[in-house]
């Protein structure tokens, strides 16, 4: 099946730095989701985006739904050690559609 | 406390054995999903069910089977036909109505003895 494009596979940053991730698709989606997965746990929803151009924040996290509906961006500001984990993007065409996932980006934060 | 419960957390399978992973949700969601996660591979859909007594194959259904006899429960059986079962298995359910957001359980790690 189709997958969304997330790269690089791993990112290493210093505590306190900001980090940006993007996710691209060859198809249009009407919902974009960002999940975080801690080691050995299930993904937890961070932010959901429902409208092209939408910019949504959740604490230190900000995500945007691209105007073309083929991409989305996640920014984490002032990173802390507990930000370590795998960040997945997911796209959905409609409420009754399956989710299409990216392969995830593993974030490491150096103290 | 509403949520999705997967059990067991760790499971070991012997050669030629079938094993069943449990997934229970009390969120009153109609749709439920099973995903397989391998390192660096993201999430791959095994089976999904949109309603009780109905389920559909996902992208990698070979060697797996499911049932959906109750709304709350969607067990996954990893059969002996699945030659490479070692992976992290995730169950999810999708909110009914609204934007159809999926929520995940904590996962089951299956290893082969």
């Amino acid at each position: 099946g189709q997958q969304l494009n997330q790269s690089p596979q791993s990112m290493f940053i210093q505590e306190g730095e900001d980090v940006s991730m993007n996710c691209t698709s060859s198809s249009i989606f009407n919902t974009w989701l960002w999940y975080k997965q801690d080691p050995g746990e299930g993904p937890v929803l961070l932010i959901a985006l429902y409208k092209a151009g939408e910019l949504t924040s959740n604490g230190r996290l900000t995500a945007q739904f691209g105007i073309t509906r083929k991409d989305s961006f996640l920014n984490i500001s002032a990173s802390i050690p507990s930000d370590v984990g795998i960040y997945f993007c997911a796209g959905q065409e409609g409420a009754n559609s399956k989710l299409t996932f990216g392969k995830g980006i593993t974030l490491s934060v150096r103290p | 406390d509403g949520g999705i419960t997967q059990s067991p957390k760790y499971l070991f399978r012997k050669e030629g054995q079938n094993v069943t992973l449990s997934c229970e949700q009390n969120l009153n969601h109609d749709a439920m999903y099973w995903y397989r996660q391998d390192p660096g591979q993201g999430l791959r859909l095994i089976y999904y069910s949109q309603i009780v007594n109905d389920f559909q194959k996902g992208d990698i259904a070979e060697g797996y089977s499911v049932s959906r006899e109750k709304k709350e429960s969607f067990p996954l059986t990893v059969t002996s036909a699945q030659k490479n079962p070692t992976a992290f298995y995730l169950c999810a359910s999708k909110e009914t109505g609204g934007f159809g957001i999926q929520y995940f359980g904590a996962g089951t790690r299956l290893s082969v003895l």
Side-chain angles (χ1 to χ4, degrees):
Chain A
Q2 179 195 4
Q3 278 194 318
L4 302 179
N5 299 311
Q6 281 188 271
S7 64
Q9 192 171 351
S10 301
M11 299 180 79
F12 299 85
I13 60 172
Q14 200 75 34
E15 183 177 357
E17 287 182 343
D18 299 347
V19 61
S20 293
M21 306 176 189
N22 72 325
C23 184
T24 61
S25 169
S26 57
S27 303
I28 288 173
F29 291 108
N30 291 307
T31 300
W32 283 90
L33 307 171
W34 284 92
Y35 290 89
K36 183 196 175 202
Q37 185 179 28
D38 290 332
E41 298 295 326
V44 173
L45 183 68
L46 296 174
I47 292 181
L49 301 157
Y50 305 112
K51 191 175 172 181
E54 178 182 356
L55 186 71
T56 297
S57 293
N58 178 7
R60 293 179 296 106
L61 277 59
T62 301
Q64 184 160 27
F65 190 142
I67 290 290
T68 65
R69 293 193 283 157
K70 292 184 177 182
D71 58 9
S72 179
F73 303 85
L74 176 71
N75 295 301
I76 304 173
S77 63
S79 60
I80 59 177
S82 62
D83 290 334
V84 165
I86 304 175
Y87 290 80
F88 289 101
C89 62
Q92 184 168 270
E93 292 177 9
N96 293 323
S97 305
K98 292 179 282 183
L99 277 181
T100 301
F101 288 91
K103 290 190 176 183
I105 293 176
T106 300
L107 180 66
S108 300
V109 179
R110 289 188 289 259
Chain B
D1 233 357
I4 302 165
T5 301
Q6 290 187 240
S7 62
K9 183 67 177 173
Y10 301 95
L11 188 57
F12 297 90
R13 194 191 88 167
K14 293 181 183 176
E15 197 77 36
Q17 188 182 40
N18 293 350
V19 292
T20 297
L21 285 61
S22 170
C23 179
E24 303 277 331
Q25 55 100 0
N26 60 4
L27 300 168
N28 201 33
H29 291 169
D30 287 320
M32 297 185 73
Y33 302 79
W34 275 105
Y35 294 91
R36 171 178 170 141
Q37 184 177 26
D38 296 283
Q41 292 293 319
L43 302 180
R44 293 185 289 169
L45 183 63
I46 305 172
Y47 267 100
Y48 63 103
S49 167
Q50 303 215 6
I51 199 164
V52 174
N53 293 322
D54 186 55
F55 48 83
Q56 307 294 329
K57 292 182 179 180
D59 300 317
I60 56 164
E62 187 175 348
Y64 301 97
S65 66
V66 294
S67 63
R68 186 87 187 275
E69 296 175 3
K70 297 188 301 181
K71 187 175 186 176
E72 299 79 19
S73 178
F74 190 39
L76 173 74
T77 296
V78 183
T79 74
S80 57
Q82 173 49 247
K83 297 306 178 189
N84 183 23
T86 297
F88 193 52
Y89 291 87
L90 288 162
C91 177
S93 69
K94 182 161 76 172
E95 60 182 10
T96 303
F99 292 97
I101 303 299
Q102 284 190 30
Y103 298 92
F104 288 84
T108 292
R109 183 163 299 281
L110 176 62
S111 302
V112 176
L113 285 176

